[in-house]
PDB file of all heavy atoms in Angstrom:
ATOM      1  N   ALA A   1     235.252  84.647 -79.578  1.00 96.00           N
ATOM      2  CA  ALA A   1     233.886  84.710 -79.057  1.00 96.00           C
ATOM      3  C   ALA A   1     232.839  84.633 -80.160  1.00 96.00           C
ATOM      4  O   ALA A   1     231.694  84.259 -79.902  1.00 96.00           O
ATOM      5  CB  ALA A   1     233.704  86.007 -78.265  1.00 96.00           C
ATOM      6  N   LYS A   2     233.207  84.971 -81.400  1.00 97.00           N
ATOM      7  CA  LYS A   2     232.251  84.931 -82.508  1.00 97.00           C
ATOM      8  C   LYS A   2     231.939  83.502 -82.949  1.00 97.00           C
ATOM      9  O   LYS A   2     230.976  83.277 -83.689  1.00 97.00           O
ATOM     10  CB  LYS A   2     232.807  85.710 -83.707  1.00 97.00           C
ATOM     11  CG  LYS A   2     232.988  87.199 -83.448  1.00 97.00           C
ATOM     12  CD  LYS A   2     233.574  87.868 -84.686  1.00 97.00           C
ATOM     13  CE  LYS A   2     233.773  89.354 -84.466  1.00 97.00           C
ATOM     14  NZ  LYS A   2     234.336  90.009 -85.678  1.00 97.00           N
ATOM     15  N   ASN A   3     232.746  82.555 -82.531  1.00 98.00           N
ATOM     16  CA  ASN A   3     232.616  81.160 -82.947  1.00 98.00           C
ATOM     17  C   ASN A   3     231.578  80.459 -82.073  1.00 98.00           C
ATOM     18  O   ASN A   3     231.804  80.204 -80.888  1.00 98.00           O
ATOM     19  CB  ASN A   3     233.985  80.484 -82.838  1.00 98.00           C
ATOM     20  CG  ASN A   3     233.956  79.006 -83.125  1.00 98.00           C
ATOM     21  OD1 ASN A   3     232.933  78.436 -83.500  1.00 98.00           O
ATOM     22  ND2 ASN A   3     235.089  78.358 -82.943  1.00 98.00           N
ATOM     23  N   VAL A   4     230.417  80.129 -82.656  1.00 98.00           N
ATOM     24  CA  VAL A   4     229.346  79.516 -81.859  1.00 98.00           C
ATOM     25  C   VAL A   4     229.730  78.142 -81.332  1.00 98.00           C
ATOM     26  O   VAL A   4     229.258  77.725 -80.262  1.00 98.00           O
ATOM     27  CB  VAL A   4     228.024  79.432 -82.660  1.00 98.00           C
ATOM     28  CG1 VAL A   4     227.454  80.818 -82.912  1.00 98.00           C
ATOM     29  CG2 VAL A   4     228.201  78.664 -83.972  1.00 98.00           C
ATOM     30  N   ALA A   5     230.587  77.424 -82.041  1.00 98.00           N
ATOM     31  CA  ALA A   5     231.025  76.116 -81.541  1.00 98.00           C
ATOM     32  C   ALA A   5     231.867  76.284 -80.290  1.00 98.00           C
ATOM     33  O   ALA A   5     231.793  75.470 -79.357  1.00 98.00           O
ATOM     34  CB  ALA A   5     231.806  75.365 -82.616  1.00 98.00           C
ATOM     35  N   ARG A   6     232.658  77.345 -80.259  1.00 97.00           N
ATOM     36  CA  ARG A   6     233.464  77.608 -79.075  1.00 97.00           C
ATOM     37  C   ARG A   6     232.566  77.913 -77.879  1.00 97.00           C
ATOM     38  O   ARG A   6     232.731  77.343 -76.792  1.00 97.00           O
ATOM     39  CB  ARG A   6     234.407  78.783 -79.351  1.00 97.00           C
ATOM     40  CG  ARG A   6     235.339  79.098 -78.203  1.00 97.00           C
ATOM     41  CD  ARG A   6     236.324  80.204 -78.580  1.00 97.00           C
ATOM     42  NE  ARG A   6     237.458  80.194 -77.668  1.00 97.00           N
ATOM     43  CZ  ARG A   6     238.540  80.945 -77.818  1.00 97.00           C
ATOM     44  NH1 ARG A   6     238.646  81.731 -78.863  1.00 97.00           N
ATOM     45  NH2 ARG A   6     239.526  80.886 -76.955  1.00 97.00           N
ATOM     46  N   ARG A   7     231.618  78.815 -78.070  1.00 98.00           N
ATOM     47  CA  ARG A   7     230.751  79.195 -76.947  1.00 98.00           C
ATOM     48  C   ARG A   7     229.887  78.028 -76.493  1.00 98.00           C
ATOM     49  O   ARG A   7     229.734  77.776 -75.287  1.00 98.00           O
ATOM     50  CB  ARG A   7     229.868  80.392 -77.335  1.00 98.00           C
ATOM     51  CG  ARG A   7     230.650  81.643 -77.684  1.00 98.00           C
ATOM     52  CD  ARG A   7     229.827  82.908 -77.492  1.00 98.00           C
ATOM     53  NE  ARG A   7     228.505  82.884 -78.070  1.00 98.00           N
ATOM     54  CZ  ARG A   7     228.206  83.254 -79.321  1.00 98.00           C
ATOM     55  NH1 ARG A   7     229.157  83.646 -80.162  1.00 98.00           N
ATOM     56  NH2 ARG A   7     226.949  83.233 -79.744  1.00 98.00           N
ATOM     57  N   ASP A   8     229.313  77.293 -77.431  1.00 98.00           N
ATOM     58  CA  ASP A   8     228.434  76.198 -77.035  1.00 98.00           C
ATOM     59  C   ASP A   8     229.218  75.043 -76.422  1.00 98.00           C
ATOM     60  O   ASP A   8     228.697  74.307 -75.572  1.00 98.00           O
ATOM     61  CB  ASP A   8     227.604  75.733 -78.229  1.00 98.00           C
ATOM     62  CG  ASP A   8     226.602  76.797 -78.680  1.00 98.00           C
ATOM     63  OD1 ASP A   8     226.539  77.870 -78.036  1.00 98.00           O
ATOM     64  OD2 ASP A   8     225.897  76.579 -79.675  1.00 98.00           O
ATOM     65  N   GLY A   9     230.477  74.875 -76.835  1.00 98.00           N
ATOM     66  CA  GLY A   9     231.334  73.889 -76.183  1.00 98.00           C
ATOM     67  C   GLY A   9     231.604  74.263 -74.740  1.00 98.00           C
ATOM     68  O   GLY A   9     231.524  73.424 -73.827  1.00 98.00           O
ATOM     69  N   MET A  10     231.921  75.540 -74.503  1.00 98.00           N
ATOM     70  CA  MET A  10     232.091  76.035 -73.129  1.00 98.00           C
ATOM     71  C   MET A  10     230.804  75.884 -72.329  1.00 98.00           C
ATOM     72  O   MET A  10     230.828  75.600 -71.129  1.00 98.00           O
ATOM     73  CB  MET A  10     232.457  77.519 -73.156  1.00 98.00           C
ATOM     74  CG  MET A  10     233.861  77.860 -73.550  1.00 98.00           C
ATOM     75  SD  MET A  10     233.983  79.677 -73.525  1.00 98.00           S
ATOM     76  CE  MET A  10     235.747  79.875 -73.536  1.00 98.00           C
ATOM     77  N   GLY A  11     229.674  76.090 -73.000  1.00 98.00           N
ATOM     78  CA  GLY A  11     228.386  76.025 -72.316  1.00 98.00           C
ATOM     79  C   GLY A  11     228.043  74.662 -71.772  1.00 98.00           C
ATOM     80  O   GLY A  11     227.134  74.542 -70.932  1.00 98.00           O
ATOM     81  N   THR A  12     228.753  73.630 -72.215  1.00 98.00           N
ATOM     82  CA  THR A  12     228.467  72.287 -71.688  1.00 98.00           C
ATOM     83  C   THR A  12     228.785  72.168 -70.203  1.00 98.00           C
ATOM     84  O   THR A  12     228.281  71.259 -69.540  1.00 98.00           O
ATOM     85  CB  THR A  12     229.217  71.194 -72.471  1.00 98.00           C
ATOM     86  OG1 THR A  12     230.632  71.399 -72.354  1.00 98.00           O
ATOM     87  CG2 THR A  12     228.813  71.196 -73.943  1.00 98.00           C
ATOM     88  N   VAL A  13     229.609  73.086 -69.666  1.00 98.00           N
ATOM     89  CA  VAL A  13     229.835  73.100 -68.218  1.00 98.00           C
ATOM     90  C   VAL A  13     228.514  73.352 -67.499  1.00 98.00           C
ATOM     91  O   VAL A  13     228.178  72.682 -66.519  1.00 98.00           O
ATOM     92  CB  VAL A  13     230.884  74.167 -67.836  1.00 98.00           C
ATOM     93  CG1 VAL A  13     231.008  74.286 -66.321  1.00 98.00           C
ATOM     94  CG2 VAL A  13     232.245  73.829 -68.447  1.00 98.00           C
ATOM     95  N   MET A  14     227.742  74.313 -68.001  1.00 98.00           N
ATOM     96  CA  MET A  14     226.437  74.603 -67.407  1.00 98.00           C
ATOM     97  C   MET A  14     225.457  73.461 -67.667  1.00 98.00           C
ATOM     98  O   MET A  14     224.666  73.096 -66.786  1.00 98.00           O
ATOM     99  CB  MET A  14     225.886  75.913 -67.959  1.00 98.00           C
ATOM    100  CG  MET A  14     224.539  76.321 -67.378  1.00 98.00           C
ATOM    101  SD  MET A  14     224.565  76.634 -65.581  1.00 98.00           S
ATOM    102  CE  MET A  14     225.394  78.240 -65.542  1.00 98.00           C
ATOM    103  N   LEU A  15     225.512  72.886 -68.874  1.00 98.00           N
ATOM    104  CA  LEU A  15     224.607  71.777 -69.183  1.00 98.00           C
ATOM    105  C   LEU A  15     224.872  70.595 -68.252  1.00 98.00           C
ATOM    106  O   LEU A  15     223.932  69.988 -67.726  1.00 98.00           O
ATOM    107  CB  LEU A  15     224.766  71.339 -70.641  1.00 98.00           C
ATOM    108  CG  LEU A  15     224.525  72.393 -71.729  1.00 98.00           C
ATOM    109  CD1 LEU A  15     224.610  71.740 -73.107  1.00 98.00           C
ATOM    110  CD2 LEU A  15     223.191  73.090 -71.538  1.00 98.00           C
ATOM    111  N   ASP A  16     226.137  70.256 -68.058  1.00 98.00           N
ATOM    112  CA  ASP A  16     226.473  69.129 -67.191  1.00 98.00           C
ATOM    113  C   ASP A  16     226.023  69.396 -65.759  1.00 98.00           C
ATOM    114  O   ASP A  16     225.515  68.500 -65.069  1.00 98.00           O
ATOM    115  CB  ASP A  16     227.982  68.863 -67.236  1.00 98.00           C
ATOM    116  CG  ASP A  16     228.351  67.554 -66.576  1.00 98.00           C
ATOM    117  OD1 ASP A  16     228.117  66.497 -67.195  1.00 98.00           O
ATOM    118  OD2 ASP A  16     228.854  67.578 -65.432  1.00 98.00           O
ATOM    119  N   ALA A  17     226.206  70.638 -65.313  1.00 98.00           N
ATOM    120  CA  ALA A  17     225.781  70.977 -63.956  1.00 98.00           C
ATOM    121  C   ALA A  17     224.268  70.845 -63.803  1.00 98.00           C
ATOM    122  O   ALA A  17     223.782  70.284 -62.820  1.00 98.00           O
ATOM    123  CB  ALA A  17     226.229  72.399 -63.619  1.00 98.00           C
ATOM    124  N   ALA A  18     223.524  71.353 -64.785  1.00 98.00           N
ATOM    125  CA  ALA A  18     222.067  71.297 -64.696  1.00 98.00           C
ATOM    126  C   ALA A  18     221.559  69.864 -64.699  1.00 98.00           C
ATOM    127  O   ALA A  18     220.631  69.515 -63.957  1.00 98.00           O
ATOM    128  CB  ALA A  18     221.450  72.083 -65.850  1.00 98.00           C
ATOM    129  N   VAL A  19     222.170  69.021 -65.521  1.00 98.00           N
ATOM    130  CA  VAL A  19     221.777  67.616 -65.564  1.00 98.00           C
ATOM    131  C   VAL A  19     222.094  66.939 -64.222  1.00 98.00           C
ATOM    132  O   VAL A  19     221.316  66.136 -63.704  1.00 98.00           O
ATOM    133  CB  VAL A  19     222.494  66.897 -66.725  1.00 98.00           C
ATOM    134  CG1 VAL A  19     222.334  65.390 -66.619  1.00 98.00           C
ATOM    135  CG2 VAL A  19     221.939  67.392 -68.062  1.00 98.00           C
ATOM    136  N   THR A  20     223.224  67.278 -63.643  1.00 98.00           N
ATOM    137  CA  THR A  20     223.640  66.673 -62.372  1.00 98.00           C
ATOM    138  C   THR A  20     222.763  67.152 -61.215  1.00 98.00           C
ATOM    139  O   THR A  20     222.342  66.358 -60.363  1.00 98.00           O
ATOM    140  CB  THR A  20     225.109  67.016 -62.081  1.00 98.00           C
ATOM    141  OG1 THR A  20     225.931  66.572 -63.165  1.00 98.00           O
ATOM    142  CG2 THR A  20     225.584  66.360 -60.792  1.00 98.00           C
ATOM    143  N   LEU A  21     222.477  68.473 -61.188  1.00 98.00           N
ATOM    144  CA  LEU A  21     221.702  69.048 -60.091  1.00 98.00           C
ATOM    145  C   LEU A  21     220.195  68.884 -60.295  1.00 98.00           C
ATOM    146  O   LEU A  21     219.420  68.960 -59.330  1.00 98.00           O
ATOM    147  CB  LEU A  21     221.999  70.546 -59.957  1.00 98.00           C
ATOM    148  CG  LEU A  21     223.223  70.994 -59.171  1.00 98.00           C
ATOM    149  CD1 LEU A  21     224.516  70.591 -59.857  1.00 98.00           C
ATOM    150  CD2 LEU A  21     223.204  72.507 -58.981  1.00 98.00           C
ATOM    151  N   GLY A  22     219.780  68.718 -61.557  1.00 98.00           N
ATOM    152  CA  GLY A  22     218.370  68.706 -61.873  1.00 98.00           C
ATOM    153  C   GLY A  22     217.782  70.094 -62.030  1.00 98.00           C
ATOM    154  O   GLY A  22     216.567  70.260 -62.168  1.00 98.00           O
ATOM    155  N   ARG A  23     218.642  71.129 -62.057  1.00 98.00           N
ATOM    156  CA  ARG A  23     218.203  72.529 -62.157  1.00 98.00           C
ATOM    157  C   ARG A  23     219.402  73.401 -62.501  1.00 98.00           C
ATOM    158  O   ARG A  23     220.545  72.966 -62.356  1.00 98.00           O
ATOM    159  CB  ARG A  23     217.614  73.005 -60.832  1.00 98.00           C
ATOM    160  CG  ARG A  23     218.530  72.790 -59.647  1.00 98.00           C
ATOM    161  CD  ARG A  23     218.148  73.600 -58.423  1.00 98.00           C
ATOM    162  NE  ARG A  23     218.374  75.025 -58.635  1.00 98.00           N
ATOM    163  CZ  ARG A  23     218.412  75.924 -57.643  1.00 98.00           C
ATOM    164  NH1 ARG A  23     218.243  75.542 -56.378  1.00 98.00           N
ATOM    165  NH2 ARG A  23     218.617  77.196 -57.893  1.00 98.00           N
ATOM    166  N   VAL A  24     219.140  74.611 -62.947  1.00 98.00           N
ATOM    167  CA  VAL A  24     220.237  75.558 -63.101  1.00 98.00           C
ATOM    168  C   VAL A  24     220.586  76.103 -61.717  1.00 98.00           C
ATOM    169  O   VAL A  24     219.703  76.234 -60.857  1.00 98.00           O
ATOM    170  CB  VAL A  24     219.884  76.714 -64.068  1.00 98.00           C
ATOM    171  CG1 VAL A  24     219.697  76.207 -65.482  1.00 98.00           C
ATOM    172  CG2 VAL A  24     218.651  77.471 -63.606  1.00 98.00           C
ATOM    173  N   PRO A  25     221.849  76.396 -61.454  1.00 98.00           N
ATOM    174  CA  PRO A  25     222.232  76.904 -60.137  1.00 98.00           C
ATOM    175  C   PRO A  25     221.768  78.349 -59.943  1.00 98.00           C
ATOM    176  O   PRO A  25     221.379  79.030 -60.891  1.00 98.00           O
ATOM    177  CB  PRO A  25     223.761  76.807 -60.163  1.00 98.00           C
ATOM    178  CG  PRO A  25     224.114  76.937 -61.616  1.00 98.00           C
ATOM    179  CD  PRO A  25     223.002  76.255 -62.361  1.00 98.00           C
ATOM    180  N   ASP A  26     221.850  78.812 -58.702  1.00 98.00           N
ATOM    181  CA  ASP A  26     221.536  80.212 -58.406  1.00 98.00           C
ATOM    182  C   ASP A  26     222.656  81.143 -58.862  1.00 98.00           C
ATOM    183  O   ASP A  26     222.395  82.288 -59.244  1.00 98.00           O
ATOM    184  CB  ASP A  26     221.324  80.411 -56.899  1.00 98.00           C
ATOM    185  CG  ASP A  26     220.168  79.585 -56.354  1.00 98.00           C
ATOM    186  OD1 ASP A  26     219.127  79.505 -57.045  1.00 98.00           O
ATOM    187  OD2 ASP A  26     220.320  79.008 -55.261  1.00 98.00           O
ATOM    188  N   HIS A  27     223.892  80.646 -58.789  1.00 98.00           N
ATOM    189  CA  HIS A  27     225.058  81.474 -59.098  1.00 98.00           C
ATOM    190  C   HIS A  27     226.070  80.680 -59.928  1.00 98.00           C
ATOM    191  O   HIS A  27     226.197  79.457 -59.764  1.00 98.00           O
ATOM    192  CB  HIS A  27     225.755  81.938 -57.814  1.00 98.00           C
ATOM    193  CG  HIS A  27     224.866  82.697 -56.871  1.00 98.00           C
ATOM    194  ND1 HIS A  27     224.669  84.058 -56.955  1.00 98.00           N
ATOM    195  CD2 HIS A  27     224.122  82.272 -55.811  1.00 98.00           C
ATOM    196  CE1 HIS A  27     223.845  84.437 -55.996  1.00 98.00           C
ATOM    197  NE2 HIS A  27     223.506  83.373 -55.283  1.00 98.00           N
ATOM    198  N   TYR A  28     226.799  81.408 -60.767  1.00 99.00           N
ATOM    199  CA  TYR A  28     227.857  80.819 -61.597  1.00 99.00           C
ATOM    200  C   TYR A  28     229.093  81.692 -61.438  1.00 99.00           C
ATOM    201  O   TYR A  28     229.023  82.914 -61.635  1.00 99.00           O
ATOM    202  CB  TYR A  28     227.409  80.780 -63.051  1.00 99.00           C
ATOM    203  CG  TYR A  28     228.482  80.390 -64.051  1.00 99.00           C
ATOM    204  CD1 TYR A  28     228.708  79.056 -64.376  1.00 99.00           C
ATOM    205  CD2 TYR A  28     229.256  81.357 -64.687  1.00 99.00           C
ATOM    206  CE1 TYR A  28     229.680  78.696 -65.301  1.00 99.00           C
ATOM    207  CE2 TYR A  28     230.227  81.010 -65.614  1.00 99.00           C
ATOM    208  CZ  TYR A  28     230.434  79.684 -65.917  1.00 99.00           C
ATOM    209  OH  TYR A  28     231.397  79.336 -66.835  1.00 99.00           O
ATOM    210  N   VAL A  29     230.231  81.075 -61.096  1.00 99.00           N
ATOM    211  CA  VAL A  29     231.464  81.821 -60.815  1.00 99.00           C
ATOM    212  C   VAL A  29     232.568  81.365 -61.756  1.00 99.00           C
ATOM    213  O   VAL A  29     232.833  80.155 -61.871  1.00 99.00           O
ATOM    214  CB  VAL A  29     231.918  81.616 -59.348  1.00 99.00           C
ATOM    215  CG1 VAL A  29     233.155  82.450 -59.047  1.00 99.00           C
ATOM    216  CG2 VAL A  29     230.787  81.945 -58.381  1.00 99.00           C
ATOM    217  N   GLN A  30     233.234  82.320 -62.415  1.00 98.00           N
ATOM    218  CA  GLN A  30     234.330  81.985 -63.333  1.00 98.00           C
ATOM    219  C   GLN A  30     235.284  83.160 -63.463  1.00 98.00           C
ATOM    220  O   GLN A  30     234.869  84.322 -63.409  1.00 98.00           O
ATOM    221  CB  GLN A  30     233.779  81.618 -64.716  1.00 98.00           C
ATOM    222  CG  GLN A  30     234.851  81.063 -65.661  1.00 98.00           C
ATOM    223  CD  GLN A  30     234.432  81.110 -67.129  1.00 98.00           C
ATOM    224  OE1 GLN A  30     233.276  80.894 -67.462  1.00 98.00           O
ATOM    225  NE2 GLN A  30     235.381  81.400 -67.991  1.00 98.00           N
ATOM    226  N   ALA A  31     236.559  82.877 -63.656  1.00 98.00           N
ATOM    227  CA  ALA A  31     237.542  83.895 -64.037  1.00 98.00           C
ATOM    228  C   ALA A  31     237.533  84.025 -65.551  1.00 98.00           C
ATOM    229  O   ALA A  31     237.396  83.025 -66.259  1.00 98.00           O
ATOM    230  CB  ALA A  31     238.928  83.506 -63.551  1.00 98.00           C
ATOM    231  N   VAL A  32     237.674  85.262 -66.062  1.00 98.00           N
ATOM    232  CA  VAL A  32     237.528  85.493 -67.498  1.00 98.00           C
ATOM    233  C   VAL A  32     238.630  86.399 -68.039  1.00 98.00           C
ATOM    234  O   VAL A  32     239.081  87.322 -67.365  1.00 98.00           O
ATOM    235  CB  VAL A  32     236.150  86.106 -67.827  1.00 98.00           C
ATOM    236  CG1 VAL A  32     235.030  85.126 -67.531  1.00 98.00           C
ATOM    237  CG2 VAL A  32     235.922  87.425 -67.087  1.00 98.00           C
ATOM    238  N   GLY A  33     239.021  86.104 -69.290  1.00 95.00           N
ATOM    239  CA  GLY A  33     239.914  86.990 -70.027  1.00 95.00           C
ATOM    240  C   GLY A  33     239.125  87.737 -71.075  1.00 95.00           C
ATOM    241  O   GLY A  33     239.090  88.963 -71.112  1.00 95.00           O
ATOM    242  N   SER A  34     238.443  86.974 -71.936  1.00 95.00           N
ATOM    243  CA  SER A  34     237.553  87.579 -72.920  1.00 95.00           C
ATOM    244  C   SER A  34     236.123  87.665 -72.410  1.00 95.00           C
ATOM    245  O   SER A  34     235.331  88.466 -72.887  1.00 95.00           O
ATOM    246  CB  SER A  34     237.569  86.760 -74.218  1.00 95.00           C
ATOM    247  OG  SER A  34     236.937  85.501 -74.019  1.00 95.00           O
ATOM    248  N   GLY A  35     235.788  86.818 -71.459  1.00 97.00           N
ATOM    249  CA  GLY A  35     234.413  86.749 -70.957  1.00 97.00           C
ATOM    250  C   GLY A  35     233.544  85.786 -71.731  1.00 97.00           C
ATOM    251  O   GLY A  35     232.348  85.635 -71.442  1.00 97.00           O
ATOM    252  N   THR A  36     234.130  85.094 -72.708  1.00 97.00           N
ATOM    253  CA  THR A  36     233.354  84.194 -73.554  1.00 97.00           C
ATOM    254  C   THR A  36     232.704  83.075 -72.739  1.00 97.00           C
ATOM    255  O   THR A  36     231.569  82.663 -73.018  1.00 97.00           O
ATOM    256  CB  THR A  36     234.239  83.609 -74.661  1.00 97.00           C
ATOM    257  OG1 THR A  36     234.889  84.677 -75.348  1.00 97.00           O
ATOM    258  CG2 THR A  36     233.422  82.812 -75.659  1.00 97.00           C
ATOM    259  N   GLY A  37     233.395  82.587 -71.724  1.00 98.00           N
ATOM    260  CA  GLY A  37     232.825  81.538 -70.888  1.00 98.00           C
ATOM    261  C   GLY A  37     231.585  81.994 -70.144  1.00 98.00           C
ATOM    262  O   GLY A  37     230.634  81.232 -69.962  1.00 98.00           O
ATOM    263  N   GLY A  38     231.580  83.250 -69.697  1.00 98.00           N
ATOM    264  CA  GLY A  38     230.398  83.790 -69.039  1.00 98.00           C
ATOM    265  C   GLY A  38     229.229  83.926 -69.999  1.00 98.00           C
ATOM    266  O   GLY A  38     228.083  83.621 -69.655  1.00 98.00           O
ATOM    267  N   ILE A  39     229.517  84.402 -71.216  1.00 98.00           N
ATOM    268  CA  ILE A  39     228.476  84.494 -72.241  1.00 98.00           C
ATOM    269  C   ILE A  39     227.912  83.100 -72.518  1.00 98.00           C
ATOM    270  O   ILE A  39     226.698  82.912 -72.641  1.00 98.00           O
ATOM    271  CB  ILE A  39     229.048  85.105 -73.530  1.00 98.00           C
ATOM    272  CG1 ILE A  39     229.580  86.518 -73.284  1.00 98.00           C
ATOM    273  CG2 ILE A  39     227.988  85.125 -74.637  1.00 98.00           C
ATOM    274  CD1 ILE A  39     230.426  87.067 -74.424  1.00 98.00           C
ATOM    275  N   ALA A  40     228.798  82.123 -72.640  1.00 98.00           N
ATOM    276  CA  ALA A  40     228.383  80.746 -72.927  1.00 98.00           C
ATOM    277  C   ALA A  40     227.485  80.198 -71.827  1.00 98.00           C
ATOM    278  O   ALA A  40     226.484  79.514 -72.103  1.00 98.00           O
ATOM    279  CB  ALA A  40     229.607  79.856 -73.105  1.00 98.00           C
ATOM    280  N   ALA A  41     227.822  80.481 -70.574  1.00 98.00           N
ATOM    281  CA  ALA A  41     226.997  80.015 -69.459  1.00 98.00           C
ATOM    282  C   ALA A  41     225.604  80.640 -69.514  1.00 98.00           C
ATOM    283  O   ALA A  41     224.585  79.965 -69.242  1.00 98.00           O
ATOM    284  CB  ALA A  41     227.674  80.348 -68.133  1.00 98.00           C
ATOM    285  N   TRP A  42     225.538  81.918 -69.852  1.00 98.00           N
ATOM    286  CA  TRP A  42     224.256  82.616 -69.993  1.00 98.00           C
ATOM    287  C   TRP A  42     223.413  82.007 -71.119  1.00 98.00           C
ATOM    288  O   TRP A  42     222.236  81.692 -70.926  1.00 98.00           O
ATOM    289  CB  TRP A  42     224.543  84.093 -70.246  1.00 98.00           C
ATOM    290  CG  TRP A  42     223.376  84.954 -70.598  1.00 98.00           C
ATOM    291  CD1 TRP A  42     222.136  84.965 -70.009  1.00 98.00           C
ATOM    292  CD2 TRP A  42     223.334  85.955 -71.625  1.00 98.00           C
ATOM    293  NE1 TRP A  42     221.339  85.916 -70.603  1.00 98.00           N
ATOM    294  CE2 TRP A  42     222.048  86.544 -71.590  1.00 98.00           C
ATOM    295  CE3 TRP A  42     224.270  86.425 -72.546  1.00 98.00           C
ATOM    296  CZ2 TRP A  42     221.674  87.566 -72.464  1.00 98.00           C
ATOM    297  CZ3 TRP A  42     223.903  87.451 -73.410  1.00 98.00           C
ATOM    298  CH2 TRP A  42     222.620  88.009 -73.371  1.00 98.00           C
ATOM    299  N   GLU A  43     224.036  81.808 -72.276  1.00 98.00           N
ATOM    300  CA  GLU A  43     223.304  81.244 -73.412  1.00 98.00           C
ATOM    301  C   GLU A  43     222.809  79.833 -73.112  1.00 98.00           C
ATOM    302  O   GLU A  43     221.664  79.476 -73.439  1.00 98.00           O
ATOM    303  CB  GLU A  43     224.190  81.254 -74.653  1.00 98.00           C
ATOM    304  CG  GLU A  43     224.493  82.647 -75.183  1.00 98.00           C
ATOM    305  CD  GLU A  43     225.454  82.651 -76.354  1.00 98.00           C
ATOM    306  OE1 GLU A  43     226.284  81.713 -76.469  1.00 98.00           O
ATOM    307  OE2 GLU A  43     225.393  83.598 -77.165  1.00 98.00           O
ATOM    308  N   ALA A  44     223.670  79.020 -72.491  1.00 98.00           N
ATOM    309  CA  ALA A  44     223.264  77.656 -72.142  1.00 98.00           C
ATOM    310  C   ALA A  44     222.108  77.675 -71.145  1.00 98.00           C
ATOM    311  O   ALA A  44     221.178  76.859 -71.232  1.00 98.00           O
ATOM    312  CB  ALA A  44     224.452  76.884 -71.569  1.00 98.00           C
ATOM    313  N   SER A  45     222.157  78.608 -70.205  1.00 98.00           N
ATOM    314  CA  SER A  45     221.087  78.705 -69.203  1.00 98.00           C
ATOM    315  C   SER A  45     219.754  79.074 -69.841  1.00 98.00           C
ATOM    316  O   SER A  45     218.695  78.563 -69.446  1.00 98.00           O
ATOM    317  CB  SER A  45     221.464  79.734 -68.139  1.00 98.00           C
ATOM    318  OG  SER A  45     222.635  79.340 -67.439  1.00 98.00           O
ATOM    319  N   MET A  46     219.791  79.969 -70.832  1.00 98.00           N
ATOM    320  CA  MET A  46     218.546  80.329 -71.524  1.00 98.00           C
ATOM    321  C   MET A  46     217.950  79.114 -72.232  1.00 98.00           C
ATOM    322  O   MET A  46     216.732  78.912 -72.222  1.00 98.00           O
ATOM    323  CB  MET A  46     218.815  81.461 -72.514  1.00 98.00           C
ATOM    324  CG  MET A  46     219.047  82.807 -71.845  1.00 98.00           C
ATOM    325  SD  MET A  46     219.033  84.201 -73.000  1.00 98.00           S
ATOM    326  CE  MET A  46     220.637  84.024 -73.808  1.00 98.00           C
TER     327      MET A  46
END
């Protein structure tokens, strides 16, 4: 999770969604082990 390339790479899921939808979604759903993907989605959304 400390690796910014890892988090920002994961965050492209949110970026692709926003580009496709034209907006950030109301909700984001994911299964997590470390939770890094959730953090990445939050950072990308900001």
Side-chain angles (χ1 to χ4, degrees):
K2 296 179 180 180
N3 175 5
V4 292
R6 183 176 198 173
R7 298 204 312 271
D8 293 358
M10 285 179 164
T12 61
V13 174
M14 181 63 75
L15 302 185
D16 191 76
V19 168
T20 303
L21 277 67
R23 53 163 291 196
V24 294
D26 299 319
H27 303 273
Y28 171 88
V29 183
Q30 188 198 323
V32 294
S34 69
T36 307
I39 299 167
W42 172 44
E43 292 176 333
S45 297
M46 287 192 285

